[in-house]
Amino acid sequence: MAKKRKPPSIKGDPRTFDPDFKGPVVNRSCTDVLCFIIFILFIIGYIILGLIAWVHGDPRRVAYPTDSQGHFCGQKGTPNENKSILFYFNLFSCASPSVMVNLQCPTTQICVSKCPEKFLTYVETQFPYKKDQKSWTYYSQFCKSPFPKPEKSLSQILMDDDCPAAIFPSKPFLQRCFPDFSTKNGTLTVGNKTIFEDGEGKTRNAVELRAAANSINKVLDAKSIGMKLFEDYAMTWYWILIGLTIAMLLSWIFLILLRFTAGFLFWVFMLGVIGVIGYGIWHCYREYNNLRGRPNSHLSIYDIGIQTDIRMYFQLRQTWFAFMIILCILEVLVILTLIFLRNRIRISIALMKEGSKAIRHVPTTLIYPALTFIFLSICICYWAVTAVYLATSGVPIYKIIAPAGQCKHENKTCDPEIFNTTEISKACPGAQCIFAFYGGKSMYHQYIPTFHVFNLFVFLWLINFVIALGQCTLAGAFASYYWALKKPEDIPPYPLFTAFGRAIRYHTGSLAFGSLIIAIIQMFRIVLEYLDKRFKEPQNNISKFFQCCLKCCFWCLEKAVKFLNRNAYVMIAIYGKNFCRSARDAFNLLIRNILKVAVMDKVTDFVLVLGKILVTGCISVLAFLLFTERLPMLIEGPTSLNYYWVPFLTVVIGSYLVAHGFFSVYAMCIDTLFICFLEDLERNDGSTERPYYMTQSLLKILKK
């Protein structure tokens, strides 16, 4: 009778001893070739898209303001070369509802060399013209074209849209003339006036002008802040660089010293947690005991019902008794976890110490985050530049905009050259044919939204590919360290560069496959966010609930896939298999050791977070003392800062990012050593024929 074949385990079969296995496989072949071809085709398409966008786009349309005719202000080689500021004829019309719809102020806009500095109306220039022509000479520079004298009537001027009805004191900001608002004795003024003529027979006040340019005034308020921020950065930039350099050195020292302090830090923290929970139990008991005999303290939470004042619940003995019970249960769980999982915690700490040794023997890995930063910067810059060129592709498109917003022809395209001679200008008095945006009717212009989506998707794919390349490269370097039987004698030369070459030469397709999955998930999340912002108002509670569920599911999915990909890249670096097989092997290996995985993950996360806080905290304290001038006896820092918190926050955030870059290398080192450690346990038994590759410290813990 034939022997029944054992069905394959759900967790996969453990690795068996292989006498030829000496670490990362040298003889390997290209993996996931189809995905590699697709990835290369997408990159070629991305490059072609960038070239086409650069041909059709014009970033000057972003840099220079554009007048009503679509001409750039201040562009060299044009009639507006010396007119770099945009001037609005009637700023009061910017309060029209059509501004929010069309994102364009329904008034004529021209390029000028400077902003008005005084109040003046067209009518005021007519009467003294014969005696004094200075007023008209000054006023005419804000007209469409120069007039020898003000012969036209006010109504004709307004109908032909040749000149503004009035000008007000203004200041240039972002190359646009904005009203010169100021406050005098608590009253809003424009050019020291609260009331003035608008040139059309109406008396206006500064509050009305402020309402018309409310959003613009917010930008004006930011002007002084922006200048002060620039001054602070100019005064403290070298101190910021010194702080970031110190953060880099502290991060490096912390990683090296982890081999001595990892266990100490963890157990001190756990004792602190036990102590804090114990204090909470004592505090709850004290409050519970102090409330004895007080009126109404014997009532239950059910008796008082739902109260808006939370403090009422803290007047009940039942509340403190419930808190005490919860904290007691939590205390017992923490203690039992430490008792029963103490060996696994010790193994995790030993692996973390081993990670510090690995980085010491392969120090070039600490340089790799800089290479990742360069690659990411290139991707971000290419995406941003392509997006700008796509957004500025096309020819000027003009649309009809009416101040009242009640013209049936509003928002239709028009030709500014002949607009005043058409029936539309007569049917809609006051309507303007104003430049709206850049576009066109060719096939390229029709597919620009699609190109924007393609630009974003390939950008996400490239970003995740760069991260995957870094993870696979570091995994290969640290795997070479672990599988060296005699450390450091058997470590191959240049392990980082060898791992990088293998990842690029053989596994670009596999890395592209894994990063493609994450990019698709991230794209779905972006689409959900866009739909949420796009249809926020008309949503009902049910649709909001389902949308929140979808966001949560995709967030969890992205985290899970990133975790699996990370371990799959370790398998790829060691065995050189394709992505799917590597992901399956990594998943089965982790499932067979699920308890070790959970403990290792949490212990590592804690130490890394603690390290980041420690580095960032040290630098933050020094930066705070320096920028607040509290170290005058030791070192003379910058003085007279407008906002000391600006360079301070820059140093804090920068220090955290520097520490994160260093500790990301350490995290990848721990993950790689952990995978190798589990593989080592399955392959070998510690005998002379099948010796363990782990260090003696790990071996001693296993034998206990």
Side-chain angles (χ1 to χ4, degrees), residues 333-352:
L333 288 176
V334 171
I335 294 174
L336 290 177
T337 300
L338 292 177
I339 292 174
F340 289 105
L341 298 180
R342 64 185 184 278
N343 285 333
R344 290 183 172 86
I345 292 174
R346 292 174 66 191
I347 292 174
S348 300
I349 293 173
L351 275 174
M352 297 181 67

Side-chain angles (χ1 to χ4, degrees), residues 68-70 144 398 414-421 433-435:
S68 298
Q69 304 298 317
K144 277 186 179 180
Y398 304 88
C414 57
D415 185 352
E417 300 294 334
I418 60 172
F419 178 74
N420 290 334
T421 62
C433 182
I434 292 179
F435 166 77

Side-chain angles (χ1 to χ4, degrees), residues 149-167:
K149 52 185 178 180
E151 293 179 337
K152 293 184 179 181
S153 62
L154 176 62
S155 59
Q156 188 66 35
I157 279 288
L158 296 178
M159 184 178 297
D160 295 340
D161 205 29
D162 290 328
C163 297
I167 56 176

Side-chain angles (χ1 to χ4, degrees), residues 222-237:
K223 178 186 177 181
S224 58
I225 297 177
M227 291 300 297
K228 291 178 181 178
L229 293 180
F230 179 79
E231 292 172 359
D232 289 343
Y233 277 123
M235 191 178 296
T236 60
W237 65 269

